[in-house]
Amino acid sequence: MIGTMEQLPSTEAAVTALRAIAAEYAREIEVTHDIGADQTSRRSAAGVGVTADPDGSLPHEAFAEFGGLPRVSVRLYPEDDALITVEGVEFADLPRDDVPAFLRSLFGGLAYVKARRFPPGYRLIVPLPGDRTYKEHLLMINLSPWLSGRVR
């Protein structure tokens, strides 16, 4: 099955994995592609009309938005990393290979929000197989109804 713990060698393979996860969890998905050094977000200094990198490769970036709750978007970068945004909380610089496990944990109900009394604050925690977790701090003002429903 695409998107388990195997390597996702290209942006297109990662998009295929995202589509499979959307189907698995009965979610709509909308994907846009940016191809070329003049189109991708991290290569704004490439210049107008310059589509290839200096090594001759053609960078490919994709942005996917999932329907339903929680609101989730994924930006896949050509450098084999990703930015996942969950209800406005950004998880930056995730390895592309961790994206499928992250989404399965999130959509499977394993993600939760941990509240701290002192100093006061919240963290969105997404556990992955192999005792790995991703954690991001969030402010109380940013707690959406979905995030509030997962506070422990």
Side-chain angles (χ1 to χ4, degrees), residues 49-121:
V50 177
T51 57
D53 281 342
D55 65 357
S57 65
L58 194 63
H60 178 190
E61 182 174 296
F63 180 76
E65 286 184 295
F66 290 85
L69 290 176
R71 293 173 309 186
V72 177
S73 66
V74 178
R75 180 168 298 280
L76 300 165
Y77 295 109
E79 294 86 8
D80 297 333
D81 65 329
L83 166 70
I84 299 179
T85 305
V86 180
E87 290 288 317
V89 180
E90 291 186 348
F91 290 83
D93 300 323
L94 269 73
R96 185 186 299 168
D97 294 339
D98 283 353
V99 171
F102 185 101
L103 293 174
R104 284 194 174 91
S105 180
L106 186 65
F107 295 150
L110 298 177
Y112 61 95
V113 175
K114 184 172 185 174
R116 285 191 327 213
R117 291 181 191 245
F118 189 81

